[in-house]
Amino acid sequence: MFRTRRALSSLPGPSSGDWRPLNFDGGAFHLKGTAELARALLVLRLCAWPPLVTHGLALQAWAQRLLGSRLSGALLRASVYGQFVAGETGEEVRGCVRQLQALGLRPLLAVPTEEEPDSAAKTGEAWYEGNLSAMLRCVDLSRGLLETPDLAGKNLMQLKVTALTSTRLCKELTSWITRPGASLELSPERLAEAMDSGQNLQVSCLNTEQNQHLQASLSRLNRVAQYARAQQVRLLVDAEYTFINPALSLLVAALAVRWNSPREGGPWVWNTYQAYLKDTPERLRRDAEAARRAGLAFGVKLVRGAYLDKERKVFQLQGTEDPTQPDYEATSRSYSRCLELMLRLVSHHGPMCHLMVASHNEESVRLATKRYEAGEWETGTHEKVPFLLLWQAGYVVYKSIPYGCLKEVIPYLIRRAQENRSVLQGARREQALLSQELWRRLLGGRRRAPH
Ligand SMILES: Cc1cc2nc3c(=O)[nH]c(=O)nc-3n(C[C@H](O)[C@H](O)[C@H](O)COP(=O)(O)OP(=O)(O)OC[C@H]3O[C@@H](n4cnc5c(N)ncnc54)[C@H](O)[C@@H]3O)c2cc1C
């Protein structure tokens, strides 16, 4: 979650057969300036204060009215924006990434796209086309960030499908895909063919307008993937809500048919799997098997899942069965199951399977590194598992960073804080480590040696 300096690059990489438990005790903080630490602590505390998160957007609008845009903007830049965002211009983003790189961290850029506005329905395709341009610029920026030859093909960026196609269409598609005896018209192969040929796709369960929007959306998705492939940037597609996820997975599967073949150097398009959904381990197993049978490379970003409260509310209202795990422990068991499966696949199928452990959870990261060290890996395979947020251990670590102007990024950050409310409230350990380090400095304690 910190903008910079989350890991020590000077430490040796992991060596087989010599596994030592990772130390998450905050030793990396010694690389941060005191002002940076104080800001991080302040921002974490603010984010853990529910009224601020709930009414963040309204408070921002008030602050702007009371203080004027310049002063309120300066305050935001000095706090939340400065803490979480890479910058606004290409130069600022590159500066932030250089700092990350000095610490052995790689960037995972995210275009901060908000939910589709009501007006998108009225303005037709224009909003989505604007987002397409932003995604293409993000590909360019990602490409330019890690240009050394040994890093070719290791640039990653996040892609939100609902920035390029409407949530309404995804909802409609989901309702058809999830029916028993779902229409074969909606197969990944058929959509991939329509993507490639650009010919008008006609799906009988959709009306004319929806068919046109589907065709335009496929074309946008294909353009991003094609450009990302050409620029050697891999796309990690976000998972969202259960009422649209099956449609998102269908679109990703169509992109995979086109762009994830080993001939193309795939996988260029990775899907995200949310462990908090009861059916995820089984779905992950099925998808991996389907990719293997189709001879396609398989890329997975594994998360616990960000939309728990909203998901549960919807299913309570509908009176239908809750698709989420009953408690945190069950989600963690599900995460471990998926992790074990993917680590096995990466180990057996080498470059055909890729995994990102997208979690801040120490236990999950420990499990991944322990298994990683358990001798099941071919030598030199470290690059295959880009662990996120692996502190101090010399693994390949990516850091997710949004970028953009204040006006675009602040609503995005507030929304993410609302979605991750429980995580932010639970970041007590991080707060404790930060304040411990700050007190140590204020009291003139000796600097701790890096682990
Ligand atoms: C790089 C990156 C990309 C991400 N991309 C996505 C994405 O595409 N889609 C997405 O949905 N999320 C995404 N997330 C967010 C992710 O799903 C989690 O919300 C976040 O990382 C916190 O989970 P954790 O494993 O890091 O931490 P932890 O604090 O260990 O876990 C918190 C998570 O546990 C689960 N949980 C908490 N309480 C309960 C409960 N009572 N019952 C059941 N489960 C519970 C929830 O999923 C909660 O978010 C991403 C995170 C990262 C770091």
Side-chain angles (χ1 to χ4, degrees):
M1 284 223 164
F2 297 108
R3 201 180 96 180
T4 57
R5 301 182 180 176
R6 295 224 71 169
L8 294 174
S9 60
S10 56
L11 289 171
S15 60
S16 220
D18 183 26
W19 183 77
R20 275 171 293 135
L22 285 169
N23 194 339
F24 291 94
D25 69 354
F29 292 152
H30 86 274
L31 289 170
K32 277 181 171 282
T34 303
E36 265 186 291
L37 284 185
R39 182 183 68 188
L41 183 59
L42 175 74
V43 170
L44 268 190
R45 292 224 161 123
L46 289 176
C47 290
W49 192 39
L52 199 66
V53 174
T54 308
H55 306 294
L57 284 172
L59 287 169
Q60 190 213 351
W62 274 9
Q64 208 168 338
R65 246 175 275 141
L66 282 175
L67 308 173
S69 350
R70 195 174 284 186
L71 187 54
S72 66
L75 285 174
L76 284 169
R77 275 182 191 281
S79 54
V80 181
Y81 183 95
Q83 178 65 24
F84 294 119
V85 184
E88 184 172 342
T89 62
E91 201 35 58
E92 283 170 357
V93 175
R94 278 188 284 277
C96 170
V97 169
R98 269 195 298 275
Q99 278 184 290
L100 291 178
Q101 272 187 288
L103 296 154
L105 292 171
R106 296 180 189 176
L108 173 60
L109 290 189
V111 177
T113 319
E114 267 307 277
E115 311 280 301
E116 140 199 355
D118 290 342
S119 58
K122 295 177 206 128
T123 53
E125 302 294 331
W127 187 73
Y128 305 103
E129 289 293 324
N131 290 337
L132 170 65
S133 306
M135 297 290 178
L136 296 176
R137 281 197 301 274
C138 187
V139 173
D140 273 334
L141 194 51
S142 300
R143 159 67 201 243
L145 293 174
L146 302 175
E147 267 189 311
T148 53
D150 58 319
L151 294 177
K154 295 191 175 101
N155 291 325
L156 311 177
M157 67 173 253
Q158 285 174 258
L159 176 74
K160 193 170 157 118
V161 169
T162 50
L164 302 178
T165 186
S166 78
T167 306
R168 274 161 291 120
L169 179 66
C170 292
K171 202 170 161 183
E172 184 69 22
L173 286 173
T174 296
S175 77
W176 287 101
I177 302 164
T178 48
R179 274 176 208 197
S183 163
L184 284 177
E185 282 185 295
L186 287 169
S187 72
E189 291 74 18
R190 185 160 184 250
L191 297 194
E193 205 183 299
M195 261 178 197
D196 240 2
S197 64
Q199 276 167 11
N200 261 351
L201 178 72
Q202 289 302 318
V203 178
S204 58
C205 58
L206 302 179
N207 64 30
T208 312
E209 197 189 322
Q210 289 167 333
N211 267 309
Q212 279 168 357
H213 182 52
L214 176 60
Q215 183 65 51
S217 305
L218 289 172
S219 155
R220 278 187 286 271
L221 287 165
N222 197 41
R223 271 147 72 198
V224 179
Q226 185 173 25
Y227 193 56
R229 163 72 187 86
Q231 299 301 315
Q232 303 265 299
V233 175
R234 297 184 195 269
L235 301 172
L236 274 54
V237 175
D238 287 351
E240 302 183 41
Y241 295 97
T242 43
F243 70 88
I244 56 170
N245 277 341
L248 303 186
S249 292
L250 171 68
L251 296 170
V252 174
L255 286 169
V257 169
R258 178 65 186 84
W259 297 107
N260 283 359
S261 72
R263 188 169 32 92
E264 290 285 349
W268 293 101
V269 185
W270 305 22
N271 205 357
T272 295
Y273 290 80
Q274 298 157 313
Y276 71 6
L277 297 178
K278 287 177 188 155
D279 69 350
T280 293
E282 181 50 26
R283 202 161 48 80
L284 179 61
R285 195 195 57 74
R286 274 202 318 264
D287 290 357
E289 179 54 23
R292 194 191 61 76
R293 267 190 276 115
L296 296 173
F298 189 51
V300 167
K301 168 158 67 89
L302 185 58
V303 300
R304 276 183 168 71
Y307 309 101
L308 188 67
D309 296 346
K310 280 198 196 160
E311 289 283 11
R312 285 184 175 167
K313 243 180 236 153
V314 169
F315 286 90
Q316 258 164 19
L317 279 175
Q318 291 174 340
T320 47
E321 198 201 325
D322 183 351
T324 62
Q325 295 286 0
D327 50 39
Y328 176 72
E329 288 69 29
T331 295
S332 289
R333 280 196 298 278
S334 162
Y335 194 93
S336 301
R337 237 179 106 191
C338 297
L339 189 55
E340 296 270 355
L341 169 69
M342 279 311 297
L343 290 172
R344 228 177 14 253
L345 291 175
V346 173
S347 145
H348 290 160
H349 302 295
M352 291 291 279
C353 278
H354 290 245
L355 167 68
M356 171 175 278
V357 180
S359 173
H360 308 109
N361 182 289
E362 293 180 17
E363 281 318 307
S364 299
V365 172
R366 276 205 182 94
L367 173 65
T369 56
K370 197 167 176 180
R371 289 291 313 277
Y372 188 78
E373 295 298 327
E376 295 186 15
W377 310 87
E378 307 147 33
T379 9
T381 57
H382 291 173
E383 291 293 294
K384 280 192 219 150
V385 184
F387 295 115
L388 188 83
L389 235 180
L390 241 182
W391 297 5
Q392 306 181 341
Y395 290 88
V396 181
V397 182
Y398 285 81
K399 162 135 185 48
S400 170
I401 33 175
Y403 69 96
C405 67
L406 212 60
K407 203 170 106 220
E408 285 164 357
V409 184
I410 294 298
Y412 169 87
L413 287 178
I414 292 173
R415 197 89 61 197
R416 297 291 87 75
Q418 288 168 351
E419 285 161 4
N420 286 288
R421 206 181 281 265
S422 61
V423 179
L424 289 167
Q425 280 167 21
R428 305 213 189 290
R429 181 153 150 72
E430 211 149 321
Q431 289 185 36
L433 291 171
L434 280 165
S435 75
Q436 199 180 312
E437 177 67 13
L438 272 172
W439 276 113
R440 193 188 62 75
R441 288 186 194 188
L442 290 173
L443 298 174
R446 284 192 47 200
R447 175 163 287 183
R448 192 189 345 204
H451 297 270

